[in-house]
């Protein structure tokens, strides 16, 4: 079973920030938090990952709660190309996916 | 960039046929994975492998087998294809505990 919980869907307006939440209350001390996204008709692609500290890259930011039981993927300015299913995963020796969050971006 | 290549984008097979789905990665990754993706069910792990000739069952291995004779190649085998195996199949690879790279997927239809 997936170890993470995400909302089924979210909507955003273009050019606005988006905060995608993920709960992982059973996370262990060595689990990395990974985020992937899947665009239509493509395989999932890596977005970002972190362990304890907040992380930034060119695609997004990852904010990790102090107790590590939740995290938030932040898209600073959503574009139409960001419409996808976003998956939050705990990375141990194998990776189970949940259903993810389907992000809709409105023009 | 790491590339994971799946041999076919679309495949149509008949019920009872033996089907091979091939996956090749070019970055010397130890770990390789096979998932299937169905509407409303997300990605489900079928099999994975941590090294050559090693394999582990995922959550839905029934009706499937795998082969990993070389590090770069991980094959998924449907011994006797059935209509309920119609799905999108995704292969992925990773280096140890780092991020995963996925292929573009093979959409298999069993008629």
């Amino acid at each position: 079973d997936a170890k993470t919980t995400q909302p089924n869907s979210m909507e955003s307006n273009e050019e606005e920030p988006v905060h995608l939440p993920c709960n992982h209350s059973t996370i262990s001390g060595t689990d990395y938090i990974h985020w992937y996204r899947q665009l239509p008709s493509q395989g999932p692609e890596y977005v970002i990952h972190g362990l304890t500290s907040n992380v930034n890259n060119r695609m997004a930011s990852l904010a990790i709660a102090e107790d590590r039981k939740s995290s938030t993927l932040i898209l600073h300015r959503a574009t139409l190309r960001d419409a996808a299913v976003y998956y939050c995963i705990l990375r141990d020796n194998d990776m189970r996916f949940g259903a993810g969050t389907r992000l809709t971006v409105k023009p | 960039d790491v590339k994971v290549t799946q041999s076919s984008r679309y495949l149509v097979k008949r019920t009872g046929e033996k089907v091979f789905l091939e996956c090749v990665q070019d970055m010397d990754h130890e770990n390789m994975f096979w998932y299937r993706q169905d509407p409303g069910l997300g990605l489900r792990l079928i099999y994975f492998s941590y090294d050559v000739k090693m394999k582990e069952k995922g959550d839905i291995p029934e009706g499937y087998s795998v082969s990993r004779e070389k590090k770069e190649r991980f094959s998924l085998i449907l011994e006797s294809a059935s209509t309920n195996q119609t799905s999108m199949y995704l292969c992925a690879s990773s280096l140890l505990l780092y991020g995963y790279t996925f292929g573009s997927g093979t959409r298999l239809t069993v008629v």
Side-chain angles (χ1 to χ4, degrees):
Chain A
D1 290 341
K3 302 175 186 176
T4 62
T5 304
Q6 299 176 255
N8 290 333
S9 62
M10 291 184 65
E11 281 189 358
S12 172
N13 295 317
E14 199 175 10
E15 304 289 316
E16 290 185 357
V18 182
H19 291 231
L20 298 165
C22 181
N23 288 319
H24 26 80
S25 58
T26 60
I27 192 170
S28 74
T30 57
D31 282 335
Y32 278 81
I33 302 158
H34 279 235
W35 282 81
Y36 291 76
R37 72 178 187 181
Q38 187 173 21
L39 302 171
S41 302
Q42 295 186 26
E45 63 175 347
Y46 167 83
V47 176
I48 200 167
H49 77 280
L51 185 62
T52 55
S53 302
N54 295 344
V55 184
N56 299 296
N57 66 21
R58 64 176 179 81
M59 290 179 71
S61 296
L62 176 60
I64 301 173
E66 197 169 335
D67 63 5
R68 300 208 331 121
K69 293 186 176 182
S70 65
S71 61
T72 302
L73 179 72
I74 303 165
L75 307 179
H76 294 285
R77 290 180 63 197
T79 71
L80 297 178
R81 288 190 298 254
D82 291 322
V85 178
Y86 287 79
Y87 299 97
C88 166
I89 295 126
L90 301 183
R91 180 71 169 98
D92 48 23
N93 283 331
D94 58 69
M95 189 160 68
R96 263 75 174 179
F97 284 78
T101 297
R102 182 173 297 279
L103 175 66
T104 302
V105 181
K106 297 183 287 185
Chain B
D1 284 350
V2 177
K3 278 196 174 173
V4 176
T5 303
Q6 294 185 231
S7 54
S8 303
R9 190 82 169 105
Y10 298 95
L11 211 53
V12 180
K13 295 292 182 180
R14 295 193 179 278
T15 301
E17 275 193 79
K18 190 169 186 176
V19 181
F20 292 86
L21 302 183
E22 305 288 347
C23 176
V24 177
Q25 49 95 3
D26 65 359
M27 284 297 290
D28 204 35
H29 283 178
E30 289 87 1
N31 303 336
M32 297 189 75
F33 304 80
W34 274 106
Y35 295 85
R36 64 178 282 178
Q37 186 171 31
D38 302 287
L41 296 177
L43 281 89
R44 291 181 290 168
L45 182 64
I46 305 172
Y47 267 99
F48 56 102
S49 168
Y50 293 142
D51 204 347
V52 175
K53 297 192 185 296
M54 292 182 66
K55 59 184 179 183
E56 298 286 341
K57 292 180 180 179
D59 297 324
I60 52 163
E62 296 78 19
Y64 303 94
S65 62
V66 290
S67 172
R68 194 157 181 212
E69 296 296 318
K70 293 184 178 181
K71 194 173 187 178
E72 67 270 19
R73 186 180 297 270
F74 192 36
S75 303
L76 180 70
I77 304 157
L78 286 66
E79 297 290 343
S80 177
S82 63
T83 54
N84 63 13
Q85 292 177 310
T86 291
S87 186
M88 169 68 84
Y89 290 87
L90 289 158
C91 175
S93 74
S94 76
L95 180 65
L96 298 176
L97 294 180
Y98 292 98
Y100 287 60
T101 300
F102 281 84
S104 298
T106 295
R107 187 167 292 282
L108 173 68
T109 302
V110 183
V111 298

